[in-house]
């Protein structure tokens, strides 16, 4: 095999894809060598997924594909469907993004894997079933024989993605194409699945094409990277080279725009504007409108993907790439970075600032009902089971937790402004259990929320001026005040007051999120609840919104409750952080303390699971992989709820187990008076 | 699965009892057999009317619940549906007509269902092509044509054909040629020919409706990730469609099959009278005109059983196609 290593397994040249005349991919060149991992990174609409689907001819019939895709010297574009089918799954296999919808819901997992095996191999059912069980075992699914008989909906997201990988490697393919394979998953599950992908690659020796928007995932997995923008590859290089010396301003900007887990604070480097519409591309470089280095010559002809012969395959589509290669500037030296004034939290001592929100022992259970006509209660879901929060004026509390940790329920309970099932909520010193209707209504303007999906939370039939005015109207504000407030708010969030009469669909995703923020600010709240406010946005746009939030906090002295699954964003934006697991607060404290010296084993695992956008750091890191999925919140265990997955517990001598098994840990301070608490009996282990 | 179906069956049985009681009570209040007897010439005495009504268990002076008790006791213990207003056996009439109606209903609805599903799926795969557009147009025309109009058009067509050719090409009255000689084969062929037009008048409506819905569910499936997965693992498009697409696309239809059956049943009433079939529908109308409570209830019983049975069959189909409902 040594001779084959150097030959290209897959060569894509000048691949173009149009949908009804609108280009999606505009001349992509890629090379994949045997056994290597090629990362394709890009934002939404960059054409990265379309490229991966086009390689296997899996695009819908409305797509017009041209150019060339050569697998082992054989041309795939234009191959009849029947011959392509023989290649799909056998030579090139795919792993898709959303594992729930990627399995046929009505067939058992085992039957679907057996089917994949028997399409390409001459196996009888029993032999195929045996092989399928081996495959499930290889990807780490417990009791594989039983798992074969499960239906897709009985699996968790992580398990489904494992099974999907098992199915992909069933026929020992030469190439695995993974299209955003971990995007829908929680970070600890993502770490597990990436690990399985590595195992799969090792076992089959397959080359991997990994499509992702996440620079961290790419940095940790890829050998070489291709960066896509507006339907083309704009830069490609070995992974270390690309992250260390990007030669395209877009790549440089992307690297500067992602918040990092290992550094805190400071403004991010946003790339101004948004990706262009491919239906009406101006001539010249498609990045010119956003590029701080753009010159006149950039706007005439589109630069080609070129590199110096000695550059070891480092190519970039930019007229000034040589200059960038030489100078190797930091992102902030190329892109304008906004000034962010110091926030209140940075100037005043915490004890001196008055509390905005105080939550203790918050509990919320939901009944589990059974029966079709007469419902009876058969159990309870402990959605929130002991949440503690503490936010003071001018500070941001980041709330971290994976799906099912009870974050959403907690927010819902807070916004409800009513007496909680158990525990206590105090907003601006007022106990919500004591509020009458009038004071609850008044208090409502002090707590406002910004949701994840700006498109779903903005009424498409209202001009944005009306949208922003809504909370003011609800509080009975005067007409003149509204007329004055709306342009002021628009300016505050970085939008043109002249655009007040436009409708939401006329704005980009990032701008829509700014509109949501303006609406939330309209009634001058003290506390802004931000529920995953940037997770629907591309990184280059996300950076701008995060900077805006920091700026608003400093200007208006706001307090934020910032909920996110993205720990890097939390680290970047928060002053304090609170970690939830199974409805409980398991660790809380100042952000640097928690991120640098995590005390709860869960927090440690969570942090180690976050991929860093830095290939060298990624390689040298030890990872704590958690076993399995979070248990169901319908059972309340005695002792520590994290026990089943806790690596510390597993490593403890049996004599010390008893405490974790019998005694539920409560939040305790690391040292008296220190702002860092954790709910673990062995925080120093 | 057995448990699930047993549960559904119990549920339908309970529904059936309720439906029958309501039908019975409604017929008793809406119909007045007393006037029917009083209108006889020569006018019978009040006592004699009462006696006859009581004998038939339709005396409006007896409380409804009591009458229903006797009626259901006879039904359960002796499988006896009572007597018609002419003092003949309801059972005998029921037996004669059920064969006629079931033949029409079963074939008509099954045909409509099968053609509708096939047509809808095919139409979805060929979305926006000429064939899809044609089927869409035809379905809409059929959907906006009431059954009786369709039946009349078919019949008139057959009459026109007869006039043009000089003898009957396709029969359009009754369900067999009276006094036909020949073997079983000749009889079957004769039955088939007689069935053709009435069945069509029922099936075409079903075809139109089912194909619309099936096209919609199929289009959803066509854009689904799992269909793409099936192709990505090496199934050809057609095999992936048949094995992974069609089955999931039929699941939401199974509920529809059950509930649209009632419409077909109503439609059959028209079809029967237009084509001169002496079936349940014709009997129903006749019985209402004659204030014949027991016959009306018998037809209602038939309708209720048929509708609930088709609901149960739909459950069986659903459970067979979608293993997720079984647990
Ligand atoms: S070609 Fe010009 S506009 Fe395009 S990325 Fe390079 S410097 Fe910027
Ligand atoms: S209390 Fe025990 S089981 Fe729980 S997190 Fe700490 S060490 Fe692990």
């Amino acid at each position: 095999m040594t001779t084959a290593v150097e030959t290209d397994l897959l060569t894509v040249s000048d691949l173009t894809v149009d949908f009804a005349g609108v280009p999606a991919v505009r001349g992509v060149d890629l090379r994949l060598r045997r056994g290597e991992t090629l990362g394709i990174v890009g934002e939404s609409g960059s054409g990265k997924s379309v490229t991966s689907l086009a390689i296997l001819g899996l695009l819908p019939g409305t797509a017009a594909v041209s150019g060339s895709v050569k697998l082992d010297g054989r041309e795939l574009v234009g191959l009849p469907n029947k011959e392509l089918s023989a290649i799909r799954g056998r030579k090139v296999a795919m792993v898709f993004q959303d594992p729930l919808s990627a399995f046929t819901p009505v067939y058992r997992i085992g039957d679907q894997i057996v089917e994949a095996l028997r399409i390409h191999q001459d196996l009888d059912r029993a032999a195929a079933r045996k092989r399928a069980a081996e495959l499930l075992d290889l990807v780490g699914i417990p009791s594989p024989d039983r798992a074969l008989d499960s239906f897709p909906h009985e699996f968790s997201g992580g398990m489904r993605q494992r099974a999907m990988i098992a199915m992909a490697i069933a026929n020992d393919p030469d190439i695995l194409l993974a299209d955003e394979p971990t995007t829908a998953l929680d970070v600890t599950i993502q770490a597990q699945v990436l690990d399985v992908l590595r195992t799969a690659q090792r076992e089959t020796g397959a080359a991997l094409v990994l499509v992702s928007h996440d620079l961290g995932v790419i940095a940790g997995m890829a050998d070489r990277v291709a960066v896509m923008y507006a339907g083309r590859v704009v830069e490609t290089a070995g992974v270390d080279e690309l992250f260390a010396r990007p030669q395209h301003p877009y790549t440089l900007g992307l690297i500067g725009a992602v918040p990092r887990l290992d550094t805190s604070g400071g403004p991010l480097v946003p790339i101004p504007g948004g990706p262009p519409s491919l239906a009406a591309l101006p001539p010249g470089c498609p990045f010119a409108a956003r590029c701080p280095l753009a010159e006149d010559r950039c706007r005439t002809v589109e630069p080609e993907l070129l590199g110096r012969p000695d550059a070891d395959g480092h190519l970039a589509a930019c007229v000034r790439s040589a200059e960038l290669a030489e100078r190797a500037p930091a992102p902030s030296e190329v892109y304008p970075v906004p000034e962010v004034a110091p926030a209140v939290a940075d100037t005043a001592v915490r004890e001196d600032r008055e509390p905005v929100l105080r939550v203790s022992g918050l509990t919320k259970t939901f009944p589990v009902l059974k029966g079709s006509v007469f419902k009876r209660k058969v159990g309870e879901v402990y959605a929130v089971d002991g949440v503690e929060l503490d936010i003071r004026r001018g500070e941001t509390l980041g709330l971290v937790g994976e799906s099912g940790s009870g974050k959403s329920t907690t927010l819902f309970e807070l916004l409800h402004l009513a007496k909680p099932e158990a525990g206590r909520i105090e907003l601006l010193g007022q106990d919500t259990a004591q509020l009458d209707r009038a004071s609850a209504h008044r208090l409502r303007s002090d707590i406002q929320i910004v949701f994840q999906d700006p498109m779903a939370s903005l009424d498409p039939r209202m001009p944005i001026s009306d949208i922003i005015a809504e909370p003011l109207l609800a509080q009975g504000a005067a007409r003149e005040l509204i007329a004055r407030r709306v342009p002021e708010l628009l300016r505050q969030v970085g939008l043109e007051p002249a655009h007040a009469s436009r409708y939401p669909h006329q704005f980009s995703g990032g701008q829509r999120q700014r509109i949501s923020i303006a609406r939330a600010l309209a009634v001058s709240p003290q506390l802004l609840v931000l529920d995953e406010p940037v997770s629907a946005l591309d990184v280059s746009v996300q950076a701008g919104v995060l900077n805006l939030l920091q700026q608003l906090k400093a200007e208006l002295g706001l307090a934020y409750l910032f909920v996110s699954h993205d720990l890097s964003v939390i680290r970047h934006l928060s002053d304090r952080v609170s970690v939830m697991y199974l409805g409980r607060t398991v660790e809380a404290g100042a952000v640097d303390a928690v991120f640098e010296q995590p005390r709860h084993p869960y927090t440690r695992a969570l942090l180690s699971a976050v991929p860093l956008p830095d290939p060298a750091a990624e390689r040298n890191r030890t990872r704590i992989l958690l076993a399995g999925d979070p248990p169901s919140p319908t059972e309340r265990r005695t002792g520590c709820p994290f026990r089943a997955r806790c690596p510390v517990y597993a490593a403890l001598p049996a004599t010390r187990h008893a405490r974790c098994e019998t005694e539920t840990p409560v939040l305790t301070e690391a040292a008296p008076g220190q702002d860092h608490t954790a709910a673990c009996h062995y925080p120093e282990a | 699965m057995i448990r699930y179906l047993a549960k559904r069956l119990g549920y339908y049985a309970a529904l059936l009892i309720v439906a029958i009681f309501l039908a019975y009570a409604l017929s008793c209040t809406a119909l007045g057999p007393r006037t029917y007897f009083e209108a006889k010439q020569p006018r019978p005495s009040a006592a004699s009317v009462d006696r006859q009504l009581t004998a038939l268990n339709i005396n409006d002076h007896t409380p409804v619940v009591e009458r229903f008790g006797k009626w259901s006791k006879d039904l359960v213990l002796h499988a006896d549906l009572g007597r018609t207003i002419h003092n003949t056996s309801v059972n005998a009439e029921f037996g004669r007509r059920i064969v006629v109606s079931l033949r029409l209903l079963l074939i008509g609805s099954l045909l409509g269902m099968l053609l509708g599903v096939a047509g809808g799926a095919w139409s979805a795969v060929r979305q926006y092509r000429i064939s899809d557009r044609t089927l869409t147009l035809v379905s809409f025309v059929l959907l906006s044509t009431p059954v009786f109009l369709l039946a009349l058009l078919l019949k008139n067509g057959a009459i026109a054909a007869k006039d043009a050719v000089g003898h009957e090409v396709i029969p359009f009255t009754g369900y067999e040629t009276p006094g036909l000689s020949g073997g079983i084969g000749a009889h079957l062929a004769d039955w088939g020919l007689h069935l053709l037009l009435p069945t069509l008048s029922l099936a075409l409506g079903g075809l139109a409706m089912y194909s619309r819905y099936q096209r919609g569910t199929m289009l959803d499936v066509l854009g689904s990730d799992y269909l793409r997965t099936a192709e990505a693992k090496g199934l050809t498009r057609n095999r992936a469609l048949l094995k992974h697409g069609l089955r999931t696309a039929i699941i939401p239809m199974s509920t529809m099959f059950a509930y649209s059956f009632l419409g077909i049943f109503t439609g059959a009433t028209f079809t029967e009278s237009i084509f001169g079939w002496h079936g349940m529908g014709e009997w129903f109308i006749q019985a209402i005109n004659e204030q014949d409570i027991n016959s009306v209830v018998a037809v209602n019983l038939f309708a209720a059983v048929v509708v609930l049975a088709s609901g149960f069959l739909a459950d069986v189909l659903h459970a067979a196609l979608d293993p997720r409902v079984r647990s």
Side-chain angles (χ1 to χ4, degrees):
Chain A
M1 287 300 269
T2 40
T3 50
V5 170
E6 292 311 314
T7 58
D8 286 344
L9 181 58
L10 183 79
T11 335
V12 175
S13 26
D14 201 25
L15 181 74
T16 62
V17 180
D18 285 17
F19 288 97
V22 178
V25 171
R26 308 180 300 120
V28 159
D29 297 320
L30 294 171
R31 296 166 55 199
L32 183 69
R33 299 191 197 106
R34 222 167 264 281
E36 80 170 346
T37 300
L38 172 69
I40 302 183
V41 68
E43 300 182 282
S44 45
S46 63
K48 57 188 191 310
S49 289
V50 177
T51 302
S52 68
L53 289 174
I55 290 174
L56 268 187
L58 284 175
L59 290 168
T62 48
V65 183
S66 62
S68 151
V69 175
K70 278 210 169 98
L71 175 69
D72 258 340
R74 183 168 178 212
E75 181 59 55
L76 300 189
V77 173
L79 211 60
N81 208 305
K82 208 166 157 49
E83 286 171 51
L84 265 179
S85 296
I87 293 170
R88 291 184 195 137
R90 177 76 194 83
K91 297 248 174 223
V92 188
M94 276 208 84
V95 177
F96 292 102
Q97 170 174 357
D98 186 353
L100 175 55
S101 52
F103 276 107
T104 310
V106 296
Y107 293 116
R108 294 173 200 278
I109 297 275
D111 291 342
Q112 302 197 39
I113 299 179
V114 164
E115 184 185 32
L117 282 162
R118 295 187 64 197
I119 295 170
H120 299 291
Q121 296 177 42
D122 187 19
L123 288 172
D124 62 24
R125 274 205 75 83
R129 203 182 143 85
K130 195 162 151 277
R131 178 83 188 112
E134 287 165 16
L135 286 165
L136 287 186
D137 191 42
L138 180 73
V139 296
I141 289 181
S143 31
D145 276 312
R146 214 157 6 103
L148 284 178
D149 290 324
S150 306
F151 287 99
H153 71 277
E154 294 167 338
F155 271 19
S156 68
M159 295 262 279
R160 278 193 291 258
Q161 200 58 305
R162 285 169 191 261
M164 185 50 82
I165 295 171
M167 191 159 85
I169 58 173
N171 293 298
D172 209 352
D174 295 334
I175 300 175
L176 276 174
L177 285 177
D179 184 3
E180 301 271 12
T182 57
T183 302
L185 304 173
D186 278 322
V187 53
T188 58
I189 308 296
Q190 160 169 299
Q192 293 173 356
V193 169
L194 290 178
D195 201 53
V196 170
L197 263 182
R198 282 191 203 102
T199 313
Q201 209 184 351
R202 197 174 54 235
E203 293 291 318
T204 59
L208 174 65
V209 178
L210 181 67
V211 178
S212 179
H213 70 284
D214 188 330
L215 283 175
V217 170
I218 296 282
M221 298 285 292
D223 302 314
R224 281 191 312 117
V225 184
V227 181
M228 286 192 69
Y229 187 78
R232 293 197 64 176
V233 175
V234 293
E235 179 161 11
T236 174
V239 68
D240 295 288
E241 168 79 8
L242 185 100
F243 278 88
R245 280 172 295 280
Q247 293 183 6
H248 194 284
Y250 175 64
T251 315
L252 186 71
L254 271 187
I255 293 171
V258 265
R260 290 183 57 150
L261 191 69
D262 47 359
T263 56
S264 66
L268 296 167
V269 180
I271 302 178
S277 149
L278 292 185
L281 271 184
C285 173
F287 190 59
R290 307 172 74 186
C291 180
L293 301 181
E295 303 168 339
D296 282 344
R297 59 179 168 150
C298 302
R299 298 191 183 86
T300 49
V301 278
E302 186 158 359
E304 279 186 57
L305 187 62
L306 297 171
R308 277 177 305 188
D310 60 330
D312 192 25
H314 192 158
L315 312 177
C318 171
V319 293
R320 298 181 65 174
S321 61
E323 195 183 315
L324 281 174
E326 218 162 280
R327 202 154 58 91
S332 53
E333 290 165 18
V334 169
Y335 286 86
V337 179
E339 283 288 321
V340 174
V344 186
D346 302 333
T347 51
V349 189
R350 179 149 206 270
E351 281 68 38
D352 298 344
R353 288 179 273 125
E354 68 266 42
V356 174
L357 178 75
R358 253 209 175 121
V359 175
S360 58
L362 183 68
T363 305
K364 173 74 188 174
T365 55
F366 295 104
V368 180
L369 299 174
K370 233 189 139 172
S372 47
V373 188
F374 302 104
K375 305 261 181 235
R376 66 204 136 82
K377 199 170 128 179
V378 293
E380 264 178 343
V381 179
Y382 300 91
V384 171
D385 194 15
V387 165
E388 317 279 326
L389 300 172
D390 175 9
I391 306 177
R392 294 187 185 233
R393 173 171 309 283
E395 74 183 16
T396 302
L397 176 71
L399 188 60
V400 181
E402 298 183 279
S403 32
S405 64
K407 285 178 303 185
S408 312
T409 315
T410 305
L411 292 193
F412 187 80
E413 288 298 295
L414 292 183
L415 294 165
H416 204 44
L417 290 187
K419 183 175 161 50
E421 197 175 303
R424 194 180 155 89
I425 303 173
E426 238 176 74
L427 185 61
L428 295 168
Q430 299 193 57
D431 185 346
T432 55
Q434 320 276 323
L435 291 176
D436 54 31
R437 284 186 58 150
S439 43
H441 184 71
R442 244 175 292 123
L443 207 54
R444 201 163 294 280
S445 64
D446 285 316
I447 176 170
Q448 292 287 314
I449 183 164
V450 175
F451 295 101
Q452 170 176 2
D453 183 355
M455 204 53 207
S457 62
L458 300 178
D459 187 335
R461 283 155 310 204
M462 274 196 194
I464 62 161
S465 55
D466 286 5
I467 291 177
I468 295 171
E470 252 196 329
L472 286 166
L473 283 173
Q475 291 288 337
R479 224 169 239 283
E480 301 78 60
L481 176 75
I482 293 176
R484 189 157 41 77
R485 255 329 243 147
V486 170
E488 183 181 298
L489 285 162
L490 283 172
R491 215 169 299 122
Q492 236 164 14
V493 298
L495 294 173
E496 284 288 326
H499 294 167
S501 55
R502 295 195 180 173
Y503 290 85
H505 69 91
Q506 292 170 291
F507 294 88
S508 69
Q511 288 173 322
R512 275 186 227 129
Q513 200 54 295
R514 287 168 190 259
I515 297 167
S516 310
I517 294 171
R519 173 174 61 181
L521 291 178
V523 286
S524 314
Q526 313 262 353
L527 175 65
L528 207 55
V529 176
L530 301 155
D531 186 7
E532 301 272 6
V534 292
S535 54
L537 305 177
D538 282 320
V539 271
S540 70
V541 178
Q542 163 185 314
V545 174
L546 290 177
N547 284 345
L548 171 72
L549 286 172
Q550 274 187 316
Q551 187 190 329
L552 288 172
K553 185 175 89 164
E555 277 174 24
L556 305 173
L558 292 171
Y560 290 153
L561 175 57
F562 188 94
V563 181
S564 178
H565 70 283
D566 187 332
L567 287 133
S568 315
V569 171
I570 292 266
R571 166 107 212 226
H572 181 79
L573 203 76
S574 309
D575 303 300
R576 298 184 68 251
V577 60
S578 175
V579 183
M580 284 182 71
Y581 184 78
L582 269 190
R584 288 160 192 267
T585 307
V586 294
E587 180 155 4
V591 74
D592 291 339
V594 173
F595 276 67
E596 271 150 36
Q597 277 132 18
R599 298 174 64 222
H600 197 283
Y602 175 66
T603 315
R604 273 181 247 157
L606 206 56
L607 291 175
S608 93
V610 180
L612 298 174
D614 180 341
E618 266 297 282
R619 264 193 302 272
N620 297 328
R621 221 148 71 100
T622 45
R623 254 188 207 82
I624 310 169
L625 277 187
L626 284 185
D629 296 309
S632 148
T634 50
E635 315 160 30
R636 211 181 204 167
R637 285 165 193 74
T638 51
C640 177
F642 185 56
R643 200 173 66 231
R645 301 173 79 199
C646 180
V648 171
Y649 170 80
L652 279 177
T655 47
R656 300 176 72 191
H657 277 177
R659 213 165 153 214
C660 301
E661 284 158 11
T662 52
E663 198 184 316
T664 310
V666 292
L667 286 173
T668 41
E669 287 171 339
Q674 197 181 327
D675 180 19
H676 189 179
T677 56
C680 171
H681 295 310
Y682 303 107
E684 321 305 334
Chain B
M1 170 142 173
I2 300 291
R3 254 195 60 167
Y4 166 77
L5 290 179
K7 245 163 106 181
R8 297 298 291 173
L9 201 59
Y11 168 70
Y12 285 127
L15 261 187
L16 183 65
I17 294 171
V18 175
I20 290 305
F21 176 70
L22 288 179
Y24 193 90
L26 200 65
S27 312
C28 286
T29 31
L31 302 179
R34 182 176 292 274
T35 48
Y36 174 85
F37 282 103
E38 282 170 356
K40 279 198 174 163
Q41 291 300 335
R43 195 187 159 125
S45 70
S48 130
V49 168
D50 254 353
R51 214 173 328 104
Q52 292 186 49
L53 285 172
T54 310
L56 296 175
N57 189 30
I58 51 176
N59 192 335
D60 51 346
H61 294 158
T62 321
V64 173
V65 177
E66 197 181 317
R67 278 186 269 159
F68 183 70
K70 181 177 174 343
W71 180 85
S72 45
K73 195 172 125 203
D74 283 347
L75 177 63
V76 174
L77 296 184
H78 312 292
D80 183 2
L81 286 165
R83 318 277 306 166
T84 69
I85 205 151
H86 310 294
N87 201 14
T88 57
S89 159
V90 172
N91 278 25
E93 191 70 21
F94 193 87
R96 243 193 322 279
R97 291 184 181 260
I98 193 171
V99 208
V100 177
S101 280
L102 272 187
R103 202 189 308 165
L104 186 61
L105 282 173
L106 279 183
I107 301 184
S109 55
L110 277 179
L111 202 67
M113 210 155 94
L114 289 178
L115 291 178
V117 166
W122 183 70
S123 195
V125 174
R126 308 185 58 88
Q127 191 188 13
Y128 299 141
R129 298 212 211 152
I130 297 287
S131 41
D132 173 38
R133 288 179 198 276
T134 314
L135 190 68
T136 304
L137 186 73
V138 171
S139 316
F140 279 127
V141 171
L142 283 174
L143 277 177
S144 46
T145 316
V147 180
F148 66 86
L149 185 59
L150 189 63
L152 276 177
L153 286 175
L154 285 170
K155 184 175 173 175
N156 286 346
I159 294 175
K162 179 185 173 182
D163 290 347
V165 182
H167 63 92
E168 201 177 68
V169 195
I170 304 169
F172 51 86
T173 39
Y175 39 88
E176 57 196 356
T177 309
L180 183 78
S181 58
I184 179 92
H187 272 284
L188 277 181
D190 181 55
W191 275 6
L193 264 185
H194 276 87
L195 261 174
L196 187 66
L197 292 184
T199 305
L200 265 185
S201 76
L202 288 183
L204 284 179
L207 167 98
M209 182 180 60
Y210 292 132
S211 72
R212 289 296 83 202
Y213 283 96
Q214 179 69 49
R215 179 176 181 273
T217 59
M218 193 70 187
L219 280 180
D220 285 346
V221 170
L222 284 182
S224 71
D225 289 353
Y226 55 82
L227 203 64
R228 198 172 58 184
T229 307
E231 277 187 77
K233 65 184 179 189
L235 288 177
T236 56
R237 175 117 184 120
N238 286 340
R239 279 205 53 121
L241 272 177
L242 273 181
K243 200 168 164 207
H244 291 261
L246 196 56
R247 175 163 166 183
T248 11
I250 292 178
I251 291 171
M253 300 289 293
S254 57
T255 329
M256 237 190 102
F257 295 149
Y259 295 103
S260 58
F261 204 83
L262 196 63
I264 294 192
F265 186 80
T266 324
T269 312
F270 295 106
T271 306
E272 283 178 5
S273 20
I274 288 168
F275 290 101
W277 282 51
H278 304 303
M280 287 284 181
E282 188 206 48
W283 187 22
F284 188 60
I285 297 189
Q286 197 179 315
I288 288 178
N289 285 333
E290 293 175 345
Q291 315 290 327
D292 186 352
I293 293 181
N294 285 340
S295 298
V296 169
V297 172
V299 180
N300 265 313
L301 176 69
F302 170 73
V305 169
V306 165
V307 167
L308 293 179
S310 64
F312 181 67
L313 284 180
D315 283 343
V316 173
L317 182 68
H318 192 173
L321 290 175
D322 188 351
R324 289 170 298 177
V325 304
R326 290 177 211 160
S327 47

